[in-house]
Amino acid sequence: MKTDNEFDREDLNWSHPRTSELRDIDEQISRHPGKRLMNRLDELRRVLDAWAGFSMMLSDLLRACENEDKFAVELLRNVGDQTGRQTIVRALDQATIAYVAGLGAVIEHTRSVVNKQSEGVKSEYGGRTAALVEKHPAAPFLGKLRNYVLHNVAAPWEFSGSFGEQATCRIALTSEVLLEDKKSWNAEARNFIVASGKSIQLSPLLTPYMEAMVEHVGLVIPAVIRENEASLDECNALIKKRNLLLTDGVSDGSDWEARMAHITENFKRVKRGERQTDFRTGEEMSADGGANGQRNKTPPFEKL
């Protein structure tokens, strides 16, 4: 007889009794257009989230540099030790490069997704893009700033401000230097630079544009899902079938949230010295972890 600490080495060789069926359905899911589409939309969400994070980082840095004495004093210093100023400029360069690279990725990923959809989705996206540019004239400039940063040594920072009870600093990009690059800007971006005067202050532009872009790109995802509903439903059916095979018919995964909430509650019950409850019946489980002589199954699921 085995003791509690012993195990049967044959257990290590256990495999699911319906392994061949699972392997076949896994292959069907991986090849299915619906699965590939959901992966693509998930990638778009991730890229958008990453860029929004870069936008907030750059906004916070600009806000601190323009409003906090310790940064403003260093940026406005034109004599003596320039180490502090150089450190801040390096941080601005790093944040700006991350911002424009992320924005370029958002634009390209979104365009790639939209271009594979119907004319209706393309038209809807084009109309909203035009409306966004009309409401946020800085949009073409921010979109093309990536080209400028890629083609030039560094952004042409310009610092100005005043000292009083509190030092304040205005951080901007010099328009004349920006316009020396003839290839980076399209007509809309060039017109915005010219209309902005001698320099462009970035800090007021970033948050409104980020919020507009997050909403704009966010609307692409449900539009694409609606457009491909039949394919996605078909793929979901395959995944539910796989979940039923994995769980021996216990669940297709549609009750995932409820099961996870129940597991969390059972952990709390154990900490309180109470017995766990069975997910299906709500009854208390026996000391060996079962309910009515059966062990409670908590299977893994995959779900779109």
Side-chain angles (χ1 to χ4, degrees):
M1 178 181 294
K2 293 186 297 181
T3 67
D4 289 342
N5 293 327
E6 292 179 328
F7 65 92
D8 188 342
R9 293 185 180 277
E10 290 299 318
D11 290 344
L12 299 178
N13 298 320
W14 182 90
S15 61
H16 197 283
R18 304 177 75 173
T19 298
S20 60
E21 290 180 70
L22 284 168
R23 186 180 298 114
D24 178 65
I25 199 168
D26 279 340
E27 290 179 1
Q28 292 181 57
I29 291 170
S30 66
R31 294 195 305 264
H32 199 282
K35 182 63 174 178
R36 291 199 295 268
L37 177 60
M38 289 306 294
N39 288 343
R40 191 71 184 88
L41 293 179
D42 182 59
E43 291 167 359
L44 178 56
R45 288 189 189 97
R46 289 166 54 196
V47 170
L48 181 62
D49 287 346
W51 170 71
F54 291 143
S55 179
M56 289 185 281
M57 289 168 56
L58 180 56
S59 293
D60 289 345
L61 178 60
L62 289 169
R63 190 178 301 110
C65 290
E66 291 182 329
N67 295 289
E68 295 184 21
D69 281 354
K70 62 180 179 179
F71 296 116
V73 167
E74 293 299 328
L75 288 173
L76 296 175
R77 182 194 299 273
N78 56 19
V79 294
D81 185 5
Q82 302 288 300
T83 303
R85 178 188 175 106
Q86 291 168 358
T87 300
I88 297 171
V89 170
R90 184 184 307 116
L92 288 169
D93 285 341
Q94 290 171 337
T96 302
I97 290 169
Y99 173 86
V100 297
L103 178 55
V106 169
I107 292 171
E108 292 303 321
H109 277 261
T110 306
R111 184 179 294 129
S112 173
V113 170
V114 170
N115 284 344
K116 294 177 181 177
Q117 307 308 311
S118 69
E119 292 302 320
V121 172
K122 293 178 186 177
S123 177
E124 177 188 341
Y125 177 74
R128 285 193 288 103
T129 300
L132 185 150
V133 171
E134 184 176 356
K135 186 175 181 179
H136 300 276
F141 166 72
L142 293 172
K144 294 299 181 181
L145 185 59
R146 174 175 177 266
N147 294 342
Y148 182 88
V149 171
L150 285 174
H151 297 157
N152 294 275
V153 176
W157 297 113
E158 175 181 297
F159 310 114
S160 59
S162 61
F163 294 98
E165 293 185 3
Q166 178 181 356
T168 60
C169 181
R170 180 179 185 271
I171 300 177
L173 299 172
T174 307
S175 298
E176 183 179 358
V177 179
L178 291 173
L179 291 170
E180 288 175 357
D181 186 331
K182 307 297 183 183
K183 297 181 179 180
S184 291
W185 317 108
N186 59 14
E188 291 174 313
R190 190 177 299 106
N191 290 341
F192 176 80
I193 297 171
V194 172
S196 297
K198 294 183 178 181
S199 62
I200 300 172
Q201 186 180 10
L202 282 180
S203 56
L205 307 178
L206 299 183
T207 298
Y209 179 62
M210 180 198 71
E211 292 174 348
M213 277 293 286
V214 168
E215 179 183 9
H216 179 45
V217 177
L219 290 173
V220 168
I221 295 170
V224 172
I225 289 175
R226 289 193 301 270
E227 183 77 11
N228 297 273
E229 185 175 6
S231 177
L232 296 174
D233 285 348
E234 187 178 84
C235 188
N236 270 321
L238 286 172
I239 291 175
K240 289 179 178 180
K241 181 179 179 181
R242 179 180 184 271
N243 288 339
L244 287 169
L245 285 173
L246 280 172
T247 64
D248 196 22
V250 171
S251 175
D252 65 4
S254 58
D255 55 0
W256 171 264
E257 289 79 8
R259 284 181 177 273
M260 294 303 100
H262 182 258
I263 290 172
T264 301
E265 179 58 31
N266 268 344
F267 278 126
K268 293 178 180 178
R269 293 180 68 87
V270 170
K271 289 182 178 180
R272 294 195 299 264
E274 301 170 3
R275 287 190 175 182
Q276 300 180 55
T277 61
D278 184 89
F279 175 78
R280 293 161 293 180
T281 66
E283 297 177 0
E284 287 190 350
M285 297 166 65
S286 60
D288 67 355
N292 297 324
Q294 298 296 321
R295 288 192 174 275
N296 189 36
K297 298 180 180 179
T298 308
F301 305 114
E302 178 183 3
K303 187 177 72 168
L304 283 182

